[in-house]
Amino acid sequence: MLTLALASVRLRWASFVGSFVALACGVALMATSILVIAATADVPGQGRQRFSEAPVLVTADLTVDFTPPTGEAQPTPVPAQPGLPAGLIAAVAATGRTVEDRTFYAQLPDGPREQVGRAWSAAALGGYRLTAGAAPAADDEVVIGGGRPEQVGQRVRFVTADGVHSATVSGVTEAVPFEHAVFFTDAQAARFCPAVGVLAAFGPADAVRRAVDAAGGASVARVLTGAERSQADPHHAEVSSRLENVQTPLGLSAAVSGGTAVFVVGGTFALSIAQRRRELALLRLIGATRRQLRALVNREALVVGVLASAAGCALGAAGAAPAGRWLVDHDMVPADFTVPVSWWGLLVAALIGLLTALGGVLLSSLKAGLISPGEALAEADVERRSRGALAFRWVSGLLVLGGGIAALAVTAHSWPDTAANAADSLSLLLSIVAGCVLLAAVLAGPAIRLLTALPGLAARLRGRSAEDGGGIVWSTARQSSLTAFRRTAATTTPVVLIVAFAGCLLGSIGTINRSQVSEVRHQLSTADLVVTPAGTPGLSRAVVDRVRSVPGVRALVITPTSLMAVDPTGQVLVTYSAAVADPTALAEVDHLPVVAGSLTDLGPGSVVLSRTWSGSPRVGQQVSVRLADGTPRDLRVAALLGTGAETVQAWVTGPDAVTGGVGGPALASRIDLRLLPGTDPQQAATALRSAVDGLGARLTTPADIWSAATDSTEQASWNALLMILGLAIGYAVIALANSLVMTVTDRRQELSLMRLAGATRGQVLCTVAVETLMCVAAGTLLGVLGTAVSVGGSWAALTNLVGPTPAVVPWTVMGVLAAACAAVALTAAVLPAALALRGRDGQGILRGAAGAA
């Protein structure tokens, strides 16, 4: 059978071109995704780093051990890095020379927002060398990393967490790629940041480990040597975080591409089998068994799969570098990110391609085995509907779509907070898309009937005959699309996939983003003005003090932090976003939807929680949490909020609620302001602008905050969506073009007979174009209906969660995609038809029709 399969592929290569191209493109997309994911698995060597010259590093343990009721202790990362204990520092110092590294916020007026302050003694750990001037000798002297020689001797201002300071530039160093730093004397650095984040040790590594073990062991600190030292570099952690953030959408895009490949290849093989039905019946007629026929089809798929996988791997290897550059251009990975081509990545993609080919042809091979020998003697090649196939599509489609709708309804009613998380709701969206795709073949006909009935209805409304709603071209195209259900399904299904997938994903994500904006709008509905950072990571203590000193203004200072709590399953620790605020100002300035308790009851040892908090707490109940550095606390619930899409899920107060740890005191993220009665708005705004001038802050309005929230949420999700959507949509477009080329090429006899019946060449091409547009329109309609179901479910859940919020339907994107599908479909249908009709006069048509018959 393998020899016969090779001969069949060689002689009837045109029947396998669509399957080959579809599978090759799928393997190429998966190969590129696998190679990029592999490149993001490990942080590439950064060369020179902050602690390159230190042989041994001691850092605080960045995890806490959590032991679930059924299981072993699990280390869970903490959001904030605690400082090293003084006893441990002294114990390690006894093993040899040590250097204490303190890193804190310190920013020059023209410095980047990620600029930091450090002690000059730690500069040697990164190989810094002075290019001009000298080391800082007094507390009012600094060395600027990457500074200009002419800056030496100048007086500069800089901002730290506690306010504005000034110092004389004693020296400058060369620029380094891993940080932007300002260096101080060790004493001054210790005043700005008492906590030691990293201790560089120059004694024997074994002695350092023994000292750490004696001071508390791995539960207190870690000892890093060799390549592990890069883990202590914040730049390494930043790069690692960015790469991890790319892995999720890349994995989703690869999974979606794989699922789409199975569907597309299966449809393409099914169409190829349908076109060769008489040929396969001839094999049955000369003695081939059903088993041999199935084996032949499977061997053909294997041959096509091997060839397509090889071609796809070559394309995927060639596309790896452009994919890496795309990620760099969109600032999703570091500028030096590269994608190496690995043999195992291509091998995995090739194996997936082979499995996809065999899996996609499985149902087609079963159908091929059911072909009877008598079909070879049939005089008419009229498509016959298989009741079993129709029943399968109806049952499977309704089960998947109904299950998705039921899950959306249950989510909207019982777990609305799930709808606020894009990752959690993605599976529900995919079930809606899958249901629409499965039902596309059986609903294409009714959709075309509905769409083509509109011209007749319009004619009746104008008092004209129903036949005036369309001419002979329209009628012929309509009847052809309704009769050739396989061709119609092959054209409609990719369009449904493209429109529904884009509409469901973009619409639901957009609705989630708008709900978060609605939450911000609701919270700031009673605020008059807002102070936000301007080119700085946060607001310093000087900004807070100056704003509070402005008369006639009530200020709510919001300082971000995190709390950790056990999830509802009791198996893992979950990190929740939290904020520190004064309870009186919180109640007077912002508008939070309190459903139980009171904001004024918030105090040290208590917390205000949103409904998304695990365990459904009650007012007065004690909840066990961990602070950002892992410190365990028991807090009393003072109030509960009635929403769940807010960015802040817990409110705390008091100096003990935030541990400064490494980096010094925390910076405020925002100051919400409310004007007291009798305060002149213009005078207050002028005073506030003067107060924050030159401190890295700006005065704005709540409306600007809403607009910025809209822009940030949309931009944050758009790049990830491009990766997920782009691969699947591109693949579906290829499938659409392949299906049309295959079907139109197989319609030569039909087109010739239309010419023989008196149709002009232009009428035949117009018929093909109108029929194609009918299928695209039907697919668009079904995709829009699927989008309405998906977005409606998300909107219902989010309305239950946050109150009234707008539903976002990406009409523009869906319209552009539908137009692109129409353009691709017209090109793939009309161009082959025009080539098939080229140079055929009446006698040629008679000979071609007779020969085809």
Side-chain angles (χ1 to χ4, degrees):
M1 278 297 169
L2 181 59
T3 303
L4 184 59
L6 289 172
S8 177
V9 173
R10 180 173 58 85
L11 295 176
R12 292 199 50 120
W13 60 269
S15 299
F16 299 98
V17 168
S19 302
F20 173 84
V21 174
L23 187 58
C25 292
V27 172
L29 293 175
M30 284 184 283
T32 301
S33 298
I34 291 173
L35 292 175
V36 176
I37 291 175
T40 60
D42 296 320
V43 178
Q46 302 296 308
R48 180 177 165 189
Q49 299 180 21
R50 179 179 288 188
F51 303 108
S52 299
E53 304 300 323
V56 182
L57 298 177
V58 180
T59 67
D61 184 27
L62 302 180
T63 62
V64 294
D65 289 334
F66 169 71
T67 304
T70 57
E72 299 180 352
Q74 301 175 355
T76 303
V78 295
Q81 179 183 354
L84 292 172
L88 183 144
I89 295 175
V92 174
T95 65
R97 184 171 72 91
T98 60
V99 176
E100 299 175 357
D101 180 69
R102 294 176 168 87
T103 303
F104 52 93
Y105 168 61
Q107 186 177 7
L108 298 171
D110 57 348
R113 58 178 298 152
E114 63 270 13
Q115 196 166 39
V116 296
R118 298 181 63 197
W120 175 248
S121 61
L125 303 178
Y128 278 94
R129 299 291 185 270
L130 287 168
T131 57
D139 291 344
D140 64 344
E141 293 182 350
V142 296
V143 170
I144 300 177
R148 303 183 304 275
E150 59 267 22
Q151 289 181 296
V152 176
Q154 295 180 0
R155 196 74 177 172
V156 296
R157 296 177 61 196
F158 61 92
V159 180
T160 64
D162 63 352
V164 181
H165 306 271
S166 62
T168 301
V169 179
S170 64
V172 294
T173 71
E174 81 281 16
V176 296
F178 52 84
E179 70 177 359
H180 302 275
V182 180
F183 294 98
F184 301 82
T185 62
D186 290 6
Q188 185 73 330
R191 281 188 284 272
F192 285 135
C193 179
V196 176
V198 179
L199 185 65
F202 292 83
D206 292 339
V208 173
R209 288 191 176 92
R210 288 193 296 269
V212 170
D213 291 339
S219 61
V220 177
R222 300 180 302 161
V223 178
L224 306 177
T225 58
E228 293 179 339
R229 295 174 300 165
S230 62
Q231 299 177 16
D233 190 344
H235 180 66
H236 179 278
E238 177 190 355
V239 173
S240 176
S241 176
R242 294 177 67 181
L243 294 180
E244 289 177 359
N245 292 336
V246 172
Q247 290 175 7
T248 299
L250 277 175
L252 289 174
S253 64
V256 170
S257 296
T260 307
V262 173
F263 153 72
V264 170
V265 171
T268 308
F269 271 117
L271 184 60
S272 175
I273 295 298
Q275 292 176 336
R276 300 167 52 205
R277 194 173 185 88
R278 182 173 293 182
E279 172 192 333
L280 297 175
L282 283 172
L283 292 176
R284 291 279 287 125
L285 189 63
I286 63 176
T289 64
R290 298 182 185 274
R291 181 178 180 181
Q292 288 175 324
L293 216 57
R294 290 195 296 267
L296 173 63
V297 174
N298 288 327
R299 298 299 189 278
E300 290 173 348
L302 180 62
V303 172
V304 174
V306 170
L307 297 176
S309 296
C313 287
L315 292 174
R325 288 194 296 270
W326 185 89
L327 293 174
V328 172
D329 294 339
H330 287 75
D331 199 28
M332 302 180 70
V333 294
D336 57 350
F337 177 76
T338 57
V339 183
V341 177
S342 57
W343 65 267
W344 65 266
L346 298 179
L347 178 61
V348 170
L351 292 176
I352 294 176
L354 289 176
L355 294 176
T356 300
L358 295 176
V361 82
L362 179 61
L363 184 59
S364 299
S365 66
L366 295 177
K367 290 182 179 180
L370 299 177
I371 296 176
S372 64
E375 295 186 36
L377 304 178
E379 294 185 3
D381 191 16
V382 179
E383 294 186 10
R384 291 173 294 177
R385 291 178 179 267
S386 171
R387 294 183 178 180
L390 289 177
F392 172 77
R393 285 186 175 274
W394 273 114
V395 172
S396 59
L398 290 177
L399 283 177
V400 175
L401 183 60
I405 294 175
L408 280 176
V410 172
T411 299
H413 182 268
S414 303
W415 301 290
D417 53 289
T418 302
N421 188 294
D424 293 340
S425 60
L426 183 60
S427 59
L428 301 178
L429 306 183
L430 292 179
S431 66
I432 299 295
V433 175
C436 293
V437 170
L438 289 172
L439 292 175
V442 293
L443 293 179
I448 291 176
R449 288 188 178 92
L450 175 62
L451 293 172
T452 53
L454 295 179
L457 179 60
R460 290 191 184 95
L461 293 177
R462 292 195 300 266
R464 301 168 62 184
S465 173
E467 284 74 10
D468 295 336
I472 187 63
V473 171
W474 177 273
S475 301
T476 305
R478 178 180 185 274
Q479 194 61 33
S480 178
S481 63
L482 294 176
T483 304
F485 60 89
R486 287 195 183 95
R487 184 168 67 240
T488 300
T491 306
T492 304
T493 303
V495 179
V496 174
L497 175 62
I498 292 170
V499 176
F501 192 33
C504 291
L505 195 57
L506 294 178
S508 297
I509 298 298
T511 303
I512 292 173
N513 292 341
R514 290 297 178 87
S515 70
Q516 295 173 347
V517 174
S518 298
E519 185 67 27
V520 175
R521 182 191 300 267
H522 182 76
Q523 180 182 341
L524 294 176
S525 59
T526 56
D528 297 307
L529 296 168
V530 181
V531 176
T532 59
T536 60
L539 303 175
S540 66
R541 173 57 55 184
V543 175
V544 173
D545 293 340
R546 289 192 182 184
V547 169
R548 282 176 170 169
S549 66
V550 175
V553 175
R554 184 62 167 164
L556 169 63
V557 181
I558 301 176
T559 304
T561 184
S562 300
L563 292 178
M564 304 176 68
V566 181
D567 76 330
T569 64
Q571 298 300 314
V572 294
L573 278 176
V574 179
T575 301
Y576 294 91
S577 61
V580 182
D582 177 73
T584 304
L586 185 62
E588 293 179 1
V589 178
D590 278 4
H591 185 267
L592 298 181
V594 179
V595 296
S598 174
L599 294 177
T600 57
D601 292 337
L602 178 63
S606 63
V607 64
V608 174
L609 300 177
S610 80
R611 64 186 296 178
T612 56
W613 196 268
S614 62
S616 301
R618 300 181 303 275
V619 174
Q621 177 184 346
Q622 293 285 332
V623 294
S624 297
V625 301
R626 289 181 180 269
L627 300 183
D629 64 349
T631 304
R633 292 285 175 85
D634 289 330
L635 302 177
R636 179 183 59 83
V637 179
L640 292 174
L641 305 180
T643 61
E646 63 275 292
T647 55
V648 177
Q649 298 161 314
W651 295 85
V652 291
T653 189
D656 295 335
V658 180
T659 56
V662 175
L667 299 172
S669 62
R670 199 177 72 204
I671 303 177
D672 298 343
L673 304 171
R674 188 172 186 178
L675 303 182
L676 299 178
T679 302
D680 181 81
Q682 294 295 333
Q683 292 182 358
T686 301
L688 289 168
R689 289 191 182 93
S690 176
V692 302
D693 183 44
L695 298 180
R698 64 170 173 265
L699 185 68
T700 186
T701 62
D704 293 334
I705 300 297
W706 308 333
S707 177
T710 303
D711 295 339
S712 62
T713 52
E714 291 180 353
Q715 183 61 37
S717 58
W718 183 247
N719 288 336
L721 293 176
L722 278 179
M723 286 191 291
I724 300 174
L725 276 174
L727 294 179
I729 290 177
Y731 197 76
V733 168
I734 294 171
L736 174 63
N738 283 337
S739 299
L740 283 170
V741 170
M742 291 175 63
T743 56
V744 172
T745 304
D746 200 52
R747 295 176 66 186
R748 291 179 179 177
Q749 177 184 354
E750 174 189 342
L751 300 179
S752 298
L753 290 175
M754 290 177 62
R755 290 280 283 123
L756 187 62
T760 65
R761 187 170 183 269
Q763 286 177 322
V764 174
L765 295 180
C766 285
T767 301
V768 174
V770 172
E771 179 185 347
T772 302
L773 290 178
M774 286 180 180
C775 296
V776 172
T780 303
L781 176 61
L782 296 176
V784 170
L785 293 177
T787 300
V789 172
S790 175
V791 174
S794 299
W795 172 80
L798 292 169
T799 299
N800 186 25
L801 184 67
V802 304
T805 186
V808 177
V809 180
W811 295 112
T812 303
V813 175
M814 290 193 297
V816 170
L817 290 176
C821 289
V824 172
L826 285 175
T827 303
V830 175
L831 184 59
L835 294 176
L837 294 173
R838 184 176 57 183
R840 291 199 165 206
D841 54 10
Q843 295 299 324
I845 293 171
L846 283 173
R847 290 192 299 270

